[in-house]
Amino acid sequence: QVQLEESGGGLVQTGGSLRLSCVASGLAFSTTAMGWFRQRPGKEREFVARITRSATYTHYGDSVKGRFIISRDNAKNTLYLQMNDLRPNDTAVYFCAVQRPGIGAVATTAEMYDSWGQGTQVTVSS
């Protein structure tokens, strides 16, 4: 059974930084692309970033480009999201997810992922 556990969320001031981690178990982590999403209250789950299995390629949502960095350590079965220059609009619950197998395109919608963590809250104060 796939398990994903996010950590690293918290309260930070505008302009601050946080680093999220997602530890995966129950899957061949190094063989799958992974993603980060976020969800604000009353909103749809929003694509944040994606990384291919060997970290060759990364993709970002428009709202976080240039501020967030996705990375992974396959030896530790861990996915990361470095978040810099945080803004109040970044306040959300952040989730990591496993991309479905067989997705040929760049996976940027929640439907393209089939295993999710419980999420970690990030709150950015103004």
Side-chain angles (χ1 to χ4, degrees), residues 1-5 22-29 77 98:
Q1 182 178 354
V2 176
Q3 289 190 321
L4 303 173
E5 184 171 355
C22 169
V23 178
S25 60
L27 78 163
F29 183 75
N77 281 10
V98 180

Side-chain angles (χ1 to χ4, degrees), residues 4-10 18-23 36 78-81 83 94-96 118-122:
L4 303 173
E5 184 171 355
E6 302 95 338
S7 63
L18 283 174
R19 189 194 196 201
L20 305 184
S21 298
C22 169
V23 178
W36 285 100
T78 303
L79 178 72
Y80 302 100
L81 185 69
M83 305 187 296
Y94 284 72
F95 300 88
C96 61
Q118 293 298 308
T120 185
Q121 176 71 46
V122 171

Side-chain angles (χ1 to χ4, degrees), residues 40-119:
R40 302 183 185 93
K43 301 289 187 179
E44 296 284 324
R45 202 160 285 194
E46 176 191 6
F47 171 73
V48 173
R50 170 188 179 265
I51 188 168
T52 54
R53 56 189 180 182
S54 57
T56 303
Y57 298 104
T58 57
H59 305 90
Y60 296 91
D62 288 342
S63 60
V64 307
K65 278 180 185 175
R67 301 187 297 124
F68 291 12
I69 301 171
I70 188 172
S71 62
R72 66 192 298 163
D73 185 337
N74 286 345
K76 295 182 179 178
N77 281 10
T78 303
L79 178 72
Y80 302 100
L81 185 69
Q82 177 66 42
M83 305 187 296
N84 301 319
D85 188 23
L86 283 161
R87 305 164 182 171
N89 274 351
D90 295 318
T91 296
V93 178
Y94 284 72
F95 300 88
C96 61
V98 180
Q99 181 176 308
R100 292 182 183 276
I103 299 291
V106 175
T108 59
T109 64
E111 294 74 21
M112 294 179 173
Y113 294 78
D114 61 5
S115 296
W116 296 82
Q118 293 298 308

